[in-house]
């Protein structure tokens, strides 16, 4: 197993089409191999949530974790992912001027409607991409 402790780990709802779309989007742009992924429903995801006293049954929040450093949720996680990807995506840093409670309101609106926004087709990672998932 690859050492995930030096990576940024994206925790996502494995049953959500919108979430799976964004995981695929990040995978395609992660040219520096900085991210790993785990569904919130996996044993690893459940352990992450439990150890932090976070909700373990409702999976409407995206988490970004840098082991031994930080974890971010919702809009702050999204903005940090864009920043880590770099290039033109760093422009999203302008979103940090909004207070988290406002940007999280937009995040929550999308999250509440995410099952209506995307079809639920399965994403099938290629061999290289499979290595970036913890407990596939």
């Amino acid at each position: 197993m690859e050492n995930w402790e030096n990576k940024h780990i994206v925790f996502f709802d494995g049953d959500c089409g919108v979430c799976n779309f964004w995981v695929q989007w990040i995978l395609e742009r992660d040219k520096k191999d900085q991210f790993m992924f785990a569904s919130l429903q996996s044993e690893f995801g459940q352990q992450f949530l439990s150890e932090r006293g976070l909700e373990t049954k409702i999976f409407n929040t995206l988490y970004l974790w840098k082991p031994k450093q930080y974890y971010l949720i919702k809009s702050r996680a999204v903005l940090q992912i864009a920043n880590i990807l770099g290039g033109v995506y760093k422009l999203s840093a302008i979103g940090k001027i909004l207070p988290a409670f406002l940007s999280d309101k937009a995040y929550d609106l999308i999250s509440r409607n995410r099952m209506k926004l995307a079809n639920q087709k399965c994403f099938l990672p290629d061999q290289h991409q499979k290595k970036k998932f913890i407990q596939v």
Side-chain angles (χ1 to χ4, degrees):
M1 175 188 211
E2 200 171 353
N3 184 0
W4 50 264
E5 290 186 356
N6 296 319
K7 306 282 185 177
H8 293 87
I9 300 170
V10 177
F11 291 94
F12 65 99
D13 180 352
D15 294 331
C16 170
V18 171
C19 302
N20 281 287
F21 168 84
W22 285 108
V23 166
Q24 186 174 2
W25 187 88
I26 296 167
L27 277 167
E28 291 170 0
R29 288 155 182 82
D30 184 20
K31 304 301 181 202
K32 296 179 183 172
D33 195 30
Q34 300 175 89
F35 293 97
M36 298 282 296
F37 302 88
S39 76
L40 291 164
Q41 295 92 331
S42 70
E43 184 180 324
F44 187 76
Q46 287 291 294
Q47 180 180 347
F48 169 83
L49 295 170
S50 293
E51 287 174 354
R52 289 156 186 80
L54 301 168
E55 174 59 54
T56 60
K57 302 272 189 248
I58 300 172
F59 308 114
N60 61 354
T61 300
L62 176 87
Y63 297 90
L64 176 66
W65 180 41
K66 178 72 172 173
K68 300 179 184 169
Q69 293 186 33
Y70 64 83
Y71 78 89
L72 301 170
I73 65 170
K74 298 184 180 185
S75 63
R76 294 304 181 218
V78 171
L79 293 171
Q80 184 65 11
I81 289 167
N83 188 54
I84 293 165
L85 287 172
V88 69
Y89 306 111
K90 278 194 167 220
L91 294 174
S92 69
I94 195 146
K96 290 182 181 179
I97 64 171
L98 290 174
F101 79 91
L102 284 178
S103 57
D104 282 348
K105 281 193 181 284
Y107 181 96
D108 290 338
L109 177 66
I110 294 167
S111 178
R112 274 192 306 275
N113 294 291
R114 65 198 163 106
M115 295 302 187
K116 299 174 199 168
L117 295 173
N119 61 22
Q120 297 297 311
K121 63 181 174 176
C122 249
F123 163 62
L124 298 173
D126 64 28
Q127 290 301 334
H128 172 71
Q129 293 171 332
K130 280 183 184 180
K131 294 176 188 171
K132 299 181 78 142
F133 287 83
I134 300 169
Q135 293 182 341
V136 174

